[in-house]
Amino acid sequence: MLHGETQENFIRRISREIGFSFCGFSKAEFLEEEAPRLEHWLNMNMHGSMAYMANHFDKRLDPRLLVPGAKSVISLLYNYFPEKEIAGGDPENPLRISKYAYGEDYHYVVKDKLKQLSSRMTEHLGSIEGRAFVDSAPVMDKAWAKNSGLGWIGKNSNLINKGHGSFFFIAELIVDLELTPDGPVKDYCGTCTACIDACPTEAIVEPYVVDGSKCISYFTIELREAIPDAYHQKLDDWIFGCDVCQDVCPWNRFSTVHNEPRFSPRNFILELKEKEWLEMEADLFSDLTKRSPLSRAGLEGMRRNVNSAAKRT
């Protein structure tokens, strides 16, 4: 029973109660604008060794192939902006880790929130067929968030919300529920090139196009081989991910601190220095990084990253 409240307003309200910052809706249909962009990006090999990016091309562009009978995509943003700057800056420990990776892995946290949202929707709206996604399937989450009016895709290829910046995880519920689409919002990047100018590896090859194979996040997380020598001095002390293009974005002056306890920094990540990373045993790494984003790089990957960052001069 919604007591006069529309389905859309109900879903928005309970999503906020659960912890999502923003919620929007778009029609589940083929992403015509994205198709040629994705094809060009792949043809230019900007996905590097991320072979999975070339898989399921049609499914990436049409959610109805992922969820038969889908009518709507519910896009949601979950804030992860920390209370204080925690990456680098300390001469004693200059190593930098992306803001999102200091606490529990967002896949677990946001997936739990999606389950709560789905459960409450079913309780009040009746049986709903659908699937939840958190950066773990061939879903073009930024495109759907843009189409749902949650922000625009900036020149650094991140989704930017005019009032709150870009430090958000994006998630979706693709459902067989008919919902009124919100439609996209205006692009407010204007003539600004801060992100392009600041990228240490010049990965933003033109406005709105990021060569993933040159990105520090790619080198420190996705790449399984040695980091090319030419990039060692460009890592800027980053050993897992990179926030440079977001940190310099003027819209992130409006970022607000998250209130998710599970994203609180784990002490070991704040305290470990180069030598300790390099000398760590596999069992200890496994224990320390359980349900942490850092586990994705693996111990050998983290050692490689630290060694590469150490070649800063």
Side-chain angles (χ1 to χ4, degrees):
M1 296 293 291
L2 299 184
H3 304 292
E5 191 176 28
T6 66
Q7 292 182 129
E8 293 81 5
N9 286 342
F10 170 75
I11 295 170
R12 285 192 177 92
R13 177 171 60 80
I14 61 173
S15 70
R16 288 194 300 270
E17 292 174 3
I18 289 168
F20 290 102
S21 299
F22 297 97
C23 172
F25 313 108
S26 47
K27 183 179 179 182
E29 59 187 356
F30 184 76
L31 291 169
E32 287 191 34
E33 286 187 21
E34 299 301 323
R37 293 174 190 162
L38 176 59
E39 185 174 26
H40 175 73
W41 190 79
L42 292 170
N43 287 339
M44 295 298 291
N45 291 315
M46 292 186 186
H47 55 310
S49 64
M50 297 181 288
Y52 64 87
M53 292 296 297
N55 297 335
H56 308 295
F57 184 84
D58 291 338
K59 287 184 177 180
R60 287 184 189 280
L61 295 165
D62 194 338
R64 296 167 298 184
L65 299 179
L66 279 172
V67 182
K71 295 179 180 178
S72 302
V73 178
I74 303 172
S75 291
L76 302 127
L77 302 185
Y78 204 82
N79 184 16
Y80 67 88
F81 188 71
E83 184 176 4
K84 58 182 180 180
E85 183 57 54
I86 49 182
D90 180 358
E92 295 296 314
N93 190 14
L95 302 179
R96 298 174 183 270
I97 291 172
S98 187
K99 292 176 178 61
Y100 79 85
Y102 279 83
E104 185 175 349
D105 191 325
Y106 66 94
H107 293 93
Y108 297 110
V109 178
V110 181
K111 200 64 172 284
D112 286 347
K113 299 294 182 179
L114 287 175
K115 288 177 182 177
Q116 293 179 41
L117 177 58
S118 181
S119 177
R120 291 189 63 180
M121 285 172 57
T122 299
E123 179 184 349
H124 291 274
L125 302 177
S127 177
I128 299 172
E129 294 295 326
R131 290 176 63 186
F133 299 93
V134 191
D135 189 27
S136 57
V139 177
M140 301 192 71
D141 51 6
K142 288 181 282 191
W144 290 114
K146 179 194 75 171
N147 287 355
S148 299
L150 302 187
W152 70 95
I153 297 178
K155 292 177 183 177
N156 59 4
S157 84
N158 287 311
L159 183 89
I160 304 173
N161 180 280
K162 187 179 180 182
H164 295 270
S166 63
F167 290 103
F168 293 98
F169 298 120
I170 305 175
E172 301 83 30
L173 287 176
I174 299 179
V175 296
D176 65 350
L177 192 63
E178 195 89 54
L179 297 166
T180 303
D182 288 302
V185 296
K186 181 182 174 183
D187 180 328
Y188 288 95
C189 280
T191 59
C192 178
T193 58
C195 59
I196 299 172
D197 300 336
C199 180
T201 58
E202 300 180 342
I204 308 174
V205 293
E206 63 181 87
Y208 308 103
V209 179
V210 173
D211 185 340
S213 70
K214 295 180 179 180
C215 179
I216 290 176
S217 288
Y218 167 76
F219 288 135
T220 57
I221 303 174
E222 300 288 349
L223 186 65
R224 294 297 174 229
E225 306 152 16
I227 295 173
D229 291 343
Y231 288 96
H232 287 159
Q233 294 184 24
K234 298 180 180 181
L235 290 183
D236 215 15
D237 292 320
W238 293 97
I239 62 169
F240 189 91
C242 178
D243 290 329
V244 171
C245 68
Q246 295 192 84
D247 286 337
V248 301
C249 177
W251 292 105
N252 275 322
R253 69 184 184 273
F254 300 120
S255 297
T256 55
V257 176
H258 74 76
N259 58 3
E260 176 51 68
R262 294 166 71 179
F263 291 158
S264 297
R266 297 184 177 186
N267 288 335
F268 87 91
I269 302 179
L270 298 172
E271 297 167 357
L272 282 178
K273 296 180 172 61
E274 286 180 11
K275 183 179 179 184
E276 294 165 307
W277 277 114
L278 295 175
E279 295 178 353
M280 187 180 297
E281 297 291 335
D283 288 347
L284 178 59
F285 178 81
S286 180
D287 288 342
L288 290 176
T289 61
K290 185 177 182 180
R291 295 174 72 93
S292 162
L294 301 187
S295 64
R296 185 172 177 183
L299 177 57
E300 291 308 311
M302 292 301 293
R303 285 176 177 162
R304 175 205 61 184
N305 297 344
V306 172
N307 272 320
S308 294
K311 299 172 183 176
R312 61 180 68 88
T313 56

